Structure formats: structure tokens, C-alpha cells
């Protein structure tokens, strides 16, 4: 009874706040995965991170990069002749036969939905001929067109190699980029599809338990699983709740159930604490006496409570969470108001004055000339009268 009385008093005086939002830093200790990142899919804002810039082995999350690379650099309707090299690949397959003809789109579907390593290998050989050229080209694509800095891939499927690595942050950036592509979104969100191959006739089912609904969570739009011994469990998931779209990357969890628990914790945190909005190109942002404009249509992510927007001396908009940590930066263009050209105005006024003076003098001279003419005529008339 005394304990309940003390507890009630503490609540009354605000020492305990049962409605306070969960902080990102507090949630980090609860994640079992060694690395994690939660991002706004549309704006790229990092809402939560745990070892998000530490080099990790991604396992089959590699196939997200292979898929968007193939979609953008290849033709989905191309007929791919499956190479003999796919026959020796380890791990999960869609049981392609050497010499079998399959469209590039179907190979991407088999790779993302069923995590077929043989499909990933067939894609890479079709696009670049060899693993060496594939590695070179895909890394150039990831760095120059997507903008990642800490990723190096040597194969298209994610089987372990010491030189095949990335970070949770880079994977989030890659997935966010891929989600802008309609073909990728369709395949990444596919739960099942009919597979009619030369040696395998079946229905492919996504391995992602939240996407399939085995672990219910509202708004899940896509997912990819991964596992090799060195990587442990890896998981990529996208979800949306109204205008807010989220990307969660979890790396190196010992247990499959725990990595899904971690994903749910991240989504719960994101949807409870953040909101998304879009500003149009040309809209004005005012900071003190200065005004700036957005140079392109831009998605912004703000904390629901106690967020802050500030502009630094370089014209960069910083969106901060309640702890003052920057979660998103946007470059703005300053609006420079033109000053009145006093000198030119004075010159025009001076010129106007000169013109006015000239007009007056001209008028006087004209009147004088008319007067002289009138006087001359009178004198001539008088002379005529006298001569008579």
C-alpha cells in the first residue's frame, strides 16, 4: 500500500512521465543485431543508428544492389542464356539449367523472392561477362550513381568473401535509391509467384516472414532476408504508414526471431516519433531576416514533438530531433533582394532636369522668334502706308 502511495505521488509531481516518447538512444541497448539503421525511405533522414557505419558482411542483402543495377543497366525483356557457371554455385537456388533461356526480369524475381544464387550469377554474367568486370562495374554504379562510400562487392549474391562488405547505412541508401524504381518496388514487394522452369515447376514464396504475414505488422511493403555463417542473420524491410515511409536494415543477429523483433522495434519507434512532408521547388523558408528557397521538390522528416529547423551560415537547412541531433540536411538557395540603384536614378533625374531646362529655353527662343516676325510685319505695313 505504501509503495503504491509513493508511486502515485511521484506521478503527480511529474517525476515519472508515462507518456514520454521512447528515445532512439534508449532503444539501441534493446537491439540484438550488431548493426542497424532506420531511415526515411523518401528523404534519406537517419532516424536511428547502431554501428551503422561499421563494415559488415551483408549476405543476400547484396541482391538488392544486384537487382537495381540490372534493372537500370539491362533490359527486363532480354532473353538470358544461362551460363554453365551457375551449376557450381552454392546455397539457395531456383534450379536453372545451363543453356536455359529466361528473361532478365524473371531472373531478378527468382533472385529477390527465392534468393536464388544461380539467378544472381546468371544476371551478372549476362550483364558483364565475368565476375571481375561485374565487380568493377557494380561498384562504380554504387559509388557514382547512388553515392555510397563504404561498400565493395565482388559477387552478385553475397556468399562470403573478405573483400565483399558494406555498412548498414550504405545498404539503407542503396535500398532507398532502389525504392524509387517502380519495377524494383513491384518485385521487392512480391509475396509469391508461379515459377515454371525447365527443371523446377513450383510457386516461389518470399523468405521474409513480415512480408508474408507470418509475423504481422501493418504497412510492410517489401523485404529481403540473408544468412551466411560469417554474416549471421541479416534483414532489410520497408514499411509505410500514411505519408511516412521507412527503411530498416539489421545486420548480424544470432537468431532469426530476434532480428524480426529488432525490425518491429525500429518501425514502432519511427512511426511513433516522426512525420514526413513534401515541399515544392521554389517554396520559401524564412530564418530570421534571411529567406531561402528549395531548389527541387524535397521530402522533409520532422520529429512529431520538439523538433527544430535551423539554417547555418552556408544556407544548409538542418532538421534536429529533441536531443539536438541532426537527422537531415537540405541545401537551400538564398533569396537575394536587389538594392535600388541610387546612382542610376540620380542620373535619370539629372537628365530629366536638363531636358526640362532645354524645353523652357527652347520655348523662350520660339516666342522671341515669333515676336520678331510680328514686329517685322508691322514695320513693313507702316512703310506701305507712308509710301501712299
Amino acid at each position: 500500500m505504501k509503495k503504491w502511495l509513493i508511486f502515485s505521488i511521484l506521478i503527480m509531481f511529474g517525476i515519472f512521465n508515462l507518456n514520454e516518447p521512447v528515445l532512439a538512444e534508449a532503444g539501441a541497448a534493446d537491439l540484438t543485431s550488431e548493426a542497424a539503421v532506420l531511415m526515411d525511405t523518401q528523404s534519406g533522414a537517419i532516424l536511428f543508428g547502431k554501428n551503422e557505419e561499421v563494415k559488415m558482411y551483408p549476405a543476400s542483402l547484396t541482391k538488392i544492389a544486384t537487382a537495381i543495377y540490372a534493372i537500370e543497366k539491362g533490359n527486363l525483356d532480354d532473353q538470358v542464356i544461362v551460363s554453365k557457371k551457375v551449376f557450381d554455385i552454392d546455397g539457395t537456388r531456383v534450379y536453372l539449367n545451363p543453356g536455359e533461356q529466361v528473361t532478365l526480369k524473371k531472373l531478378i524475381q527468382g533472385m529477390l523472392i527465392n534468393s536464388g544464387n544461380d539467378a544472381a550469377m546468371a544476371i551478372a554474367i549476362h550483364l558483364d561477362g565475368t565476375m571481375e568486370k561485374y565487380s568493377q562495374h557494380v561498384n562504380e554504379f554504387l559509388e557514382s550513381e547512388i553515392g555510397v562510400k563504404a561498400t565493395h562487392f565482388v559477387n552478385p549474391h553475397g556468399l562470403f568473401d573478405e573483400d565483399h562488405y558494406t555498412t548498414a547505412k550504405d545498404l539503407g541508401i542503396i535500398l532507398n535509391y532502389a525504392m524509387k524504381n517502380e519495377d524494383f518496388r513491384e518485385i521487392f514487394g512480391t509475396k509469391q509467384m508461379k515459377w515454371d522452369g525447365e527443371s523446377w515447376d513450383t510457386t516461389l514464396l518470399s523468405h521474409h516472414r513480415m512480408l508474408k504475414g507470418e509475423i504481422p505488422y501493418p504497412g510492410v511493403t517489401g523485404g529481403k532476408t540473408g544468412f551466411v555463417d560469417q554474416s549471421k542473420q541479416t534483414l532489410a524491410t520497408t514499411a509505410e504508414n500514411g505519408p511516412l515511409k521507412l527503411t530498416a536494415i539489421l545486420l548480424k543477429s544470432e537468431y532469426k526471431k530476434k532480428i524480426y523483433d529488432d525490425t518491429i522495434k525500429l518501425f514502432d519507434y519511427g512511426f511513433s516519433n516522426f512525420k514526413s512532408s513534401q515541399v515544392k521547388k521554389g517554396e520559401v523558408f524564412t530564418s530570421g531576416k534571411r529567406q531561402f528557397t528549395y531548389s527541387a521538390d524535397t521530402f522533409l522528416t520532422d520529429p512529431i514533438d520538439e523538433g527544430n529547423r535551423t539554417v547555418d551560415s552556408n544556407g544548409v537547412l538542418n532538421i534536429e530531433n529533441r536531443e539536438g541531433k541532426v537527422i537531415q540536411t537540405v541545401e537551400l538557395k538564398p533569396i537575394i533582394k536587389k538594392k535600388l540603384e541610387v546612382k542610376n536614378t540620380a542620373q535619370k533625374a539629372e537628365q530629366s532636369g536638363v531636358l526640362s531646362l532645354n524645353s523652357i529655353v527652347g520655348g523662350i527662343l520660339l516666342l522671341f522668334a515669333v515676336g520678331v516676325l510680328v514686329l517685322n510685319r508691322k514695320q513693313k505695313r507702316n512703310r506701305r502706308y507712308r509710301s501712299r
Side-chain angles (χ1 to χ4, degrees):
M1 183 67 180
K2 290 182 179 180
K3 291 182 179 180
W4 280 108
L5 180 60
I6 294 171
F7 184 70
S8 301
I9 294 171
L10 291 174
I11 292 176
M12 289 175 62
F13 283 91
I15 297 175
F16 290 154
N17 186 351
L18 300 181
N19 296 319
E20 187 171 347
V22 178
L23 304 183
E25 288 74 10
D30 295 329
L31 298 184
T32 62
S33 304
E34 287 194 16
V37 73
L38 177 69
M39 303 174 74
D40 185 316
T41 310
Q42 298 174 111
S43 73
I46 296 178
L47 311 180
F48 171 87
K50 175 185 177 182
N51 297 327
E52 69 273 20
E53 296 186 5
V54 175
K55 185 177 78 173
M56 306 288 285
Y57 301 120
S60 283
L61 301 195
T62 302
K63 291 164 184 168
I64 294 169
T66 303
I68 190 59
Y69 173 70
I71 290 170
E72 293 202 359
K73 298 302 180 182
N75 185 330
L76 295 180
D77 295 325
D78 278 352
Q79 290 290 330
V80 179
I81 300 176
V82 177
S83 169
K84 294 180 180 179
K85 296 179 181 179
V86 306
F87 193 73
D88 298 324
I89 199 73
D90 294 327
T92 310
R93 297 165 165 267
V94 287
Y95 300 100
L96 298 170
N97 286 336
E100 183 177 352
Q101 291 191 20
V102 187
T103 65
L104 180 59
K105 181 175 182 178
K106 187 174 180 179
L107 288 175
I108 297 171
Q109 290 170 323
M111 175 183 68
L112 282 183
I113 300 169
N114 197 64
S115 204
N117 292 337
D118 50 354
M121 179 72 79
I123 291 169
I125 294 173
H126 169 72
L127 294 174
D128 293 308
T130 65
M131 286 299 99
E132 290 76 16
K133 287 185 178 179
Y134 169 81
S135 176
Q136 175 188 344
H137 293 163
V138 77
N139 287 318
E140 289 173 354
F141 170 78
L142 295 174
E143 183 174 353
S144 64
E145 299 192 35
I146 299 183
V148 298
K149 303 296 183 185
T151 294
H152 184 263
F153 289 156
V154 298
N155 64 57
H157 39 65
L159 291 176
F160 177 73
D161 188 298
E162 286 188 354
D163 291 328
H164 187 94
Y165 56 82
T166 186
T167 66
K169 179 181 176 180
D170 273 9
L171 278 176
I173 293 171
I174 294 169
L175 181 50
N176 286 351
Y177 177 90
M179 288 296 288
K180 293 179 173 65
N181 184 283
E182 184 178 354
D183 292 313
F184 178 88
R185 289 198 307 271
E186 175 196 344
I187 300 172
F188 193 65
T190 300
K191 301 176 184 180
Q192 65 178 50
M193 68 166 286
K194 179 70 176 175
W195 182 269
D196 184 12
E198 282 187 359
S199 62
W200 202 35
D201 187 5
T202 187
T203 297
L204 300 183
L205 298 175
S206 171
H207 297 179
H208 197 291
R209 297 181 65 190
M210 290 173 70
L211 181 61
K212 287 190 293 185
E214 293 177 359
I215 299 177
Y217 195 90
V220 172
T221 57
K224 182 73 192 77
T225 63
F227 177 84
V228 293
D229 289 340
Q230 296 84 351
S231 305
K232 304 302 182 183
Q233 301 289 338
T234 63
L235 195 66
T237 316
T238 56
E240 60 183 49
N241 182 4
L244 181 60
K245 297 175 174 33
L246 297 179
T247 295
I249 304 292
L250 284 301
L251 299 177
K252 202 168 186 180
S253 176
E254 291 287 342
Y255 305 103
K256 184 177 292 187
K257 182 182 183 303
K258 293 293 186 181
I259 203 168
Y260 285 106
D261 291 342
D262 287 350
T263 299
I264 291 171
K265 288 176 183 178
L266 290 184
F267 282 154
D268 284 348
Y269 169 74
F271 288 128
S272 298
N273 290 278
F274 297 93
K275 59 185 178 181
S276 176
S277 61
Q278 186 180 26
V279 292
K280 297 294 183 181
K281 178 180 178 180
E283 286 192 29
V284 175
F285 178 84
T286 301
S287 177
K289 295 182 179 180
R290 298 184 298 168
Q291 287 188 320
F292 302 86
T293 185
Y294 297 91
S295 57
D297 293 352
T298 305
F299 284 99
L300 301 178
T301 310
D302 289 285
I304 293 175
D305 297 316
E306 300 183 29
N308 190 32
R309 293 182 182 181
T310 60
V311 177
D312 64 21
S313 59
N314 296 317
V316 176
L317 170 65
N318 296 299
I319 301 179
E320 302 172 347
N321 63 15
R322 58 185 293 168
E323 290 81 38
K325 181 179 180 181
V326 175
I327 61 174
Q328 184 183 0
T329 60
V330 180
E331 292 187 8
L332 303 177
K333 292 175 62 177
I335 298 176
I336 302 175
K337 296 182 179 179
K338 293 183 179 180
K339 296 182 179 179
L340 293 176
E341 298 180 1
V342 178
K343 184 177 181 180
N344 291 339
T345 303
Q347 288 178 350
K348 289 179 181 178
E350 183 180 346
Q351 290 174 359
S352 177
V354 171
L355 290 174
S356 299
L357 179 61
N358 289 340
S359 299
I360 294 170
V361 173
I364 293 172
L365 291 175
L366 180 60
L367 291 173
F368 179 76
V370 171
V372 171
L373 289 173
V374 171
L375 181 60
N376 287 337
R377 287 180 181 178
K378 286 183 178 180
Q379 289 176 352
K380 287 180 180 179
R381 287 176 183 174
N382 292 334
R383 287 173 186 171
R384 288 176 185 173
Y385 288 131
R386 288 174 185 173
S387 62
R388 288 178 184 178

